[in-house]
Amino acid sequence: MPWSASRNIVAIPPILATVLVMSLSSLAFEVLLARIFAISQWNHLSFMVISIALFGFASSGTYLNLAGLSSRSQLQDWLNARRLVILISLYSASALIAFITLTHMPLDYFRLPFEAAQAVYLLSAYLLTALPFFCTGLIIALAYASFPAKTGSVYLATMVGSAGGALLPAIALSLFGEGRLFCAISLLPLGLVPLYLPQAPAHQFHAADDDHQPPRYFLGRWFLSTIIGLLIFFSTFIIPEYKFLHIKPSHYKALHQVLQFPDTNITQTEHHLRGRVDTINSPFIRFAPGLSLKFTETLPRTSALYLDGDNASHLYHVKSWPNNRFARATLAYAGYTLHPNPQHVLVVQNAGGAAAACALASGAGDITLVHPRSNIAKQIDQFYPIQIVTEQPRAFLANTSNQFDIIHIEDWGTSLAGTAALNQSHLLTINALTAYWQHLTTQGVIIISRKLLLPPAESLRLWATAYTSLRQQGLPDPERHIIMLRNWDTFTLLVTRQPSENLAVIRNFANRYNFDLMYAPHLNPCEVNRFNVFDQPFHYAALTELANAYQTETEQTFFDKYLLDVVPQTDDRPFPDRYLKWVKIKNFHQSMGNRIYTLILSSEVVVMVVLVEALVIAVILLMAPLIYIRKRLQPPAISHIVYFLAVGAGFMFVELYFIKAFTLLFGNPVVSLTVVLGGVLIFSGAGGYWATRAGIRRLSPVLAILILFLFALVFFNETLLSAILTLPVFYRYAWAVVMLFPISFLMGAPFSLGMRYLLSSPGQRAYAWAANGSASVLAAIAAAQMALSIGIQFILAGAIAAYIVAGACVRRLLAAN
């Protein structure tokens, strides 16, 4: 039978294979797309990928409704071999085009207020990257609409494929890099095309047997399969990473700026799910944050390791550390003067490198450096004669009983202020300061250095964090244990185990190197703003006011009135670079000279813009089919619409909650994303498959049990995470998966049971697919804003509310039936 004449709906086995492979490729495409945004722009723009993907999926359901999918007879025009081959081919072509266009498009969202062309670039990038997800969404929606009795199987294939797509980059990225892996996963679905070539009639096979010739249809399949397999093989293993496959970092990132130096080049590039690391060799790179302007000697040459084009880790080429004096002239070394002969030093390094230099210059006999990324830790190990531990720092502290004379934390953040507001870090929270304090010797000192900002922000938050941590541990006068110094662009916080009664050592150090005291017990106003002079002693004044507020127990009033959000961070709200206050945004804009691009620098503003954009798109996607359907058919019931909106929102809230909560366990949000997506999708797929066999009467009990589990998680999750954090790495992963299982399994039931039993036509199922996707988009963005503003735990509250609404809809629908 000729292909063009094939009008029958494709059988379920090839459809399930197609759904699985397309889901795998799409999820891997989504992860790699996030990596592209993280390298070529900034991490917070990778957040848009969730919006793009779910927008593509949701729009596919809307398109099917607008295209007139209302009965099973009309499915023959959609779910046939020819149409599926077109969709698969369009997916692969659009994914490749999107990748090449995105990596070469001159997109610069900082210039949006000034160049209309940037809006065109941004819209083009959004639509191009959404098209592959649209193709995948069409295929999955058609599968649900065509085989309602097999809803559980389709759901299982979707979830297992998506889980594979989440795990694939974790395994393959270090082997092939972003460019080649992107090509491979884009071409992967083409391997499905031979499944849909027309079968030869039986008499052709018999005739071929008589003539001892293989059937031409069999030869066609074999030939096409071979060509596609070779294409994928060559794109993955053979071709080098040509220039058009290379992802260039943003011009605003430190790597791009360093590469402008003469005789500067990239000597090595390592690809990893945690980030791309470029090793730079240059005779001109120097790194000495907080260095005194009185230091006149030659600085040592450094090599630099750039993570995703920014967040550099520096390695010093020094032969004899005791004879090198530059580290002793930095702000951070003030902490070492309070303990002049340290024996045990712990360096917690996320980026930078000066902390290791200070520890080596101190002559400490036992130095331990903890770094969360193995590829960077290995290179540090080759430079310094110290103990290197590759571990999440909080997990390291939870698993060791060692005490340290000095604990030196170094994390300078991104090179462009405001772009790290969404970055989750558990190094500078109240809980973290408590852990550092508990591992100090009786004369120990905590050292934390950060960038100096105006208006004062980070210095206020860190002071308040230290004060709150010490007060929670029962110290009567926490302010007596805190000292802060600054130069012109950095500051250092010192937290001492013993009260700082005698400041002579710190005063001598500051006077020797022209550093300014910002805060110390009984500090005289004439001692501040002497060397690195501002118009006014802004930081000293703000810190003094904050200290007075704590002593009079009016700190909350101070935080409410202050221009920026400088409230101490906890493990439930661990965003150390987030300062924006929405109620003060007008005042903040005015304080920045009414320059609009200062708001664009804030990644939190980008989140809100994406949320508004997604809300408008979701309304269009959901309202357009209702208006169109109303003219021809009975539209879906309101209860049906609300049910699938609630289920989509609840699922995404839970998924985002686990991703953010498990970042504490794994030390990296991308690793947490991979573990959570893999576990949630597999377990929910199994739950959906089980539920469709159990029947619709199980839906209400499943929702009730799910809500109870979520309530239990609210009360016990902090205790569970703290206990798991003390375990070795393997058991941390194992227990995380165990925590995911019951809730994920139950979450698979509401969607699959709803698609199977609550809906009666292909059009309704396509609309439910669109509603579920739209709600997921909005929930994903809302969850990020909730975590930033009020805490990660409140995401669970959103999930509980969504599933309660879903349960109410189920009761109403079942009662009506």
Side-chain angles (χ1 to χ4, degrees):
M1 181 173 58
W3 191 3
S4 59
S6 179
R7 306 288 291 175
N8 294 327
I9 295 178
V10 176
I12 187 65
I15 281 293
L16 291 178
T18 302
V19 167
L20 189 146
V21 173
M22 293 293 288
S23 299
L24 184 150
S25 180
S26 295
L27 221 297
F29 178 85
E30 183 177 350
V31 173
L32 292 176
L33 200 57
R35 295 290 312 122
I36 290 175
F37 275 116
I39 297 170
S40 65
Q41 298 292 328
W42 295 92
N43 278 328
H44 63 274
L45 278 192
S46 64
F47 174 81
M48 282 190 4
V49 174
I50 297 174
S51 169
I52 292 170
L54 295 174
F55 163 69
F57 287 134
S59 60
S60 64
T62 299
Y63 175 77
L64 287 177
N65 273 288
L66 295 177
L69 182 67
S70 58
S71 65
R72 183 165 179 80
S73 61
Q74 292 173 320
L75 285 172
Q76 294 182 6
D77 295 328
W78 285 96
L79 202 64
N80 57 63
R82 186 176 187 179
R83 188 68 62 96
L84 287 172
V85 168
I86 292 173
L87 287 175
I88 292 168
S89 304
L90 181 60
Y91 169 87
S92 294
S94 61
L96 288 173
I97 292 171
F99 169 69
I100 295 171
T101 303
L102 197 60
T103 53
H104 292 79
M105 182 184 293
L107 174 63
D108 183 352
Y109 78 101
F110 291 135
R111 288 153 59 188
L112 267 173
F114 316 110
E115 297 182 9
Q118 293 300 326
V120 177
Y121 293 146
L122 188 60
L123 180 62
S124 300
Y126 199 96
L127 294 177
L128 276 174
T129 50
L131 185 55
F133 299 108
F134 174 78
C135 296
T136 300
L138 274 179
I139 292 174
I140 297 173
L142 286 168
Y144 279 122
S146 303
F147 304 100
K150 297 293 183 180
T151 294
S153 299
V154 175
Y155 189 76
L156 179 62
T158 303
M159 293 303 181
V160 171
S162 297
L167 297 173
L168 179 61
I171 300 168
L173 198 55
S174 60
L175 300 175
F176 308 115
E178 290 87 1
R180 287 188 294 176
L181 186 58
F182 214 110
C183 291
I185 64 104
S186 299
L187 296 172
L188 180 64
L190 291 178
L192 297 164
V193 171
L195 293 176
Y196 297 105
L197 288 180
Q199 295 283 356
H203 69 278
Q204 289 190 14
F205 281 89
H206 295 314
D209 291 340
D210 293 339
D211 297 334
H212 304 287
Q213 295 288 333
R216 61 186 178 89
Y217 289 98
F218 176 78
L219 282 175
R221 285 190 175 193
W222 180 87
F223 179 75
L224 186 58
S225 301
T226 302
I227 293 297
I228 293 171
L230 288 173
L231 188 63
I232 296 173
F233 177 81
F234 275 95
S235 68
T236 308
F237 296 98
I238 305 299
I239 65 170
E241 188 140 333
Y242 288 116
K243 195 171 182 180
F244 77 93
L245 292 178
H246 185 69
I247 304 170
K248 298 178 182 178
S250 165
H251 289 192
Y252 300 101
K253 288 192 170 183
L255 175 59
H256 175 83
Q257 297 163 18
V258 166
L259 289 175
Q260 307 310 305
F261 296 158
D263 302 321
T264 300
N265 53 75
I266 299 175
T267 59
Q268 182 182 2
T269 297
E270 293 184 61
H271 304 272
H272 197 275
L273 192 66
R274 294 174 182 262
R276 191 181 82 182
V277 177
D278 294 293
T279 303
I280 304 297
N281 185 36
S282 172
F284 301 105
I285 296 179
R286 300 293 185 271
F287 181 74
L291 183 68
S292 169
L293 295 178
K294 294 181 71 175
F295 184 80
T296 58
E297 300 179 31
T298 302
L299 288 172
R301 187 170 69 88
T302 67
S303 295
L305 312 173
Y306 287 87
L307 180 68
D308 287 342
D310 210 70
N311 288 358
S313 295
H314 294 266
L315 304 171
Y316 296 93
H317 296 263
V318 174
K319 294 182 179 179
S320 176
W321 279 103
N323 296 327
N324 197 286
R325 290 187 288 273
F326 89 93
R328 295 183 184 136
T330 60
L331 263 177
Y333 203 79
Y336 292 84
T337 64
L338 295 175
H339 200 304
N341 296 300
Q343 295 301 310
H344 306 284
V345 175
L346 173 65
V347 174
V348 176
Q349 182 178 320
N350 193 42
C358 288
L360 288 162
S362 72
D366 177 26
I367 301 173
T368 302
L369 188 149
V370 180
H371 200 290
R373 293 178 175 85
S374 59
N375 46 2
I376 296 178
K378 288 178 183 177
Q379 298 206 44
I380 296 175
D381 192 30
Q382 296 172 6
F383 266 73
Y384 304 139
I386 59 178
Q387 181 184 2
I388 307 296
V389 177
T390 303
E391 177 62 287
Q392 200 273 84
R394 292 286 300 281
F396 171 81
L397 289 169
N399 281 279
T400 184
S401 58
N402 294 344
Q403 303 289 300
F404 301 94
D405 300 316
I406 304 285
I407 298 180
H408 193 162
I409 298 94
E410 186 174 22
D411 182 7
W412 295 102
T414 57
S415 59
L416 195 60
T419 56
L422 297 185
N423 290 3
Q424 183 175 336
S425 172
H426 292 268
L427 295 181
L428 302 175
T429 63
I430 295 171
N431 312 72
L433 264 291
T434 301
Y436 302 146
W437 176 268
Q438 292 172 349
H439 284 81
L440 285 178
T441 58
T442 55
Q443 300 295 323
V445 181
I446 299 170
I447 305 171
I448 303 174
S449 295
R450 298 282 282 178
K451 294 177 183 177
L452 193 70
L453 303 175
L454 276 176
E458 179 103 31
S459 55
L460 293 178
R461 175 176 285 166
L462 270 182
W463 190 97
T465 301
Y467 188 99
T468 304
S469 173
L470 299 182
R471 186 171 63 180
Q472 288 180 356
Q473 295 177 79
L475 272 70
D477 299 304
E479 69 277 2
R480 295 170 58 198
H481 297 259
I482 302 173
I483 301 171
M484 296 187 83
L485 305 90
R486 69 168 179 88
N487 66 353
W488 58 278
D489 71 336
T490 62
F491 75 92
T492 293
L493 166 73
L494 306 178
V495 183
T496 61
R497 187 78 184 192
Q498 297 298 323
S500 304
E501 298 294 349
N502 185 2
L503 293 177
V505 173
I506 289 295
R507 284 191 172 99
N508 290 338
F509 179 81
N511 291 333
R512 179 182 179 185
Y513 291 109
N514 286 5
F515 294 139
D516 290 292
L517 287 164
M518 294 166 60
Y519 180 85
H522 314 299
L523 182 63
N524 194 315
C526 67
E527 297 182 78
V528 303
N529 205 33
R530 297 167 56 203
F531 303 111
N532 305 277
V533 180
F534 291 113
D535 292 340
Q536 297 179 32
F538 299 109
H539 298 87
Y540 165 75
L543 285 166
T544 301
E545 185 180 354
L546 177 60
N548 292 335
Y550 267 100
Q551 290 171 6
T552 58
E553 298 184 353
T554 59
E555 65 270 18
Q556 191 57 51
T557 302
F558 174 89
F559 293 134
D560 292 340
K561 291 171 58 179
Y562 197 69
L563 177 65
L564 300 173
D565 180 2
V566 293
V567 174
Q569 303 277 282
T570 66
D571 281 346
D572 188 51
R573 194 166 168 251
F575 303 97
D577 295 295
R578 187 263 181 187
Y579 301 104
L580 186 66
K581 265 187 182 178
W582 286 104
V583 295
K584 299 274 189 179
I585 192 167
K586 184 178 179 180
N587 306 78
F588 175 73
H589 186 217
Q590 291 172 346
S591 72
M592 295 291 106
N594 293 317
R595 290 169 290 188
I596 188 66
Y597 67 83
T598 58
L599 296 181
I600 298 176
L601 285 173
S602 172
S603 47
E604 189 174 1
V605 173
V606 174
V607 172
M608 189 56 65
V609 170
V610 173
L611 178 60
V612 173
E613 170 201 57
L615 182 60
V616 172
I617 291 174
V619 170
I620 294 173
L621 291 177
L622 295 177
M623 293 304 298
L626 290 180
I627 296 171
Y628 183 72
I629 292 172
R630 191 179 296 276
K631 297 177 181 178
R632 302 178 295 109
L633 299 169
Q634 182 69 24
I638 295 297
S639 296
H640 288 145
I641 299 172
V642 174
Y643 174 80
F644 282 98
L645 287 171
V647 168
F651 191 99
M652 189 55 64
F653 276 136
V654 172
E655 199 170 63
L656 266 293
Y657 169 77
F658 276 121
I659 290 171
K660 293 187 177 297
F662 283 3
T663 298
L664 173 63
L665 300 181
F666 307 129
N668 187 281
V670 182
V671 175
S672 179
L673 172 77
T674 303
V675 173
V676 171
L677 284 183
V680 167
L681 295 174
I682 289 174
F683 296 145
S684 62
Y689 183 78
W690 164 83
T692 53
R693 292 174 173 267
I696 188 62
R697 293 297 171 185
R698 296 292 179 93
L699 182 52
S700 292
V702 163
L703 284 170
I705 297 171
L706 175 58
I707 292 169
L708 287 176
F709 265 106
L710 294 176
F711 267 116
L713 201 59
V714 170
F715 293 103
F716 299 111
N717 193 51
E718 184 176 351
T719 303
L720 286 171
L721 291 178
S722 298
I724 295 173
L725 195 62
T726 63
L727 300 175
V729 175
F730 173 79
Y731 293 103
R732 255 181 277 152
Y733 281 93
W735 276 104
V737 172
V738 169
M739 282 184 66
L740 290 173
F741 173 71
I743 291 176
S744 302
F745 186 86
L746 294 170
M747 286 198 306
F751 180 79
S752 56
L753 283 174
M755 291 289 277
R756 173 68 179 90
Y757 294 105
L758 299 181
L759 304 172
S760 58
S761 70
Q764 287 184 352
R765 293 186 177 92
Y767 187 87
W769 174 252
N772 187 267
S774 298
S776 298
V777 173
L778 297 174
I781 304 169
Q785 187 60 57
M786 290 165 68
L788 288 170
S789 301
I790 52 180
I792 296 172
Q793 286 280 67
F794 283 88
I795 301 175
L796 271 184
I800 291 169
Y803 281 117
I804 288 175
V805 170
C809 291
V810 167
R811 290 188 62 182
R812 181 172 180 178
L813 290 168
L814 293 180
N817 293 334

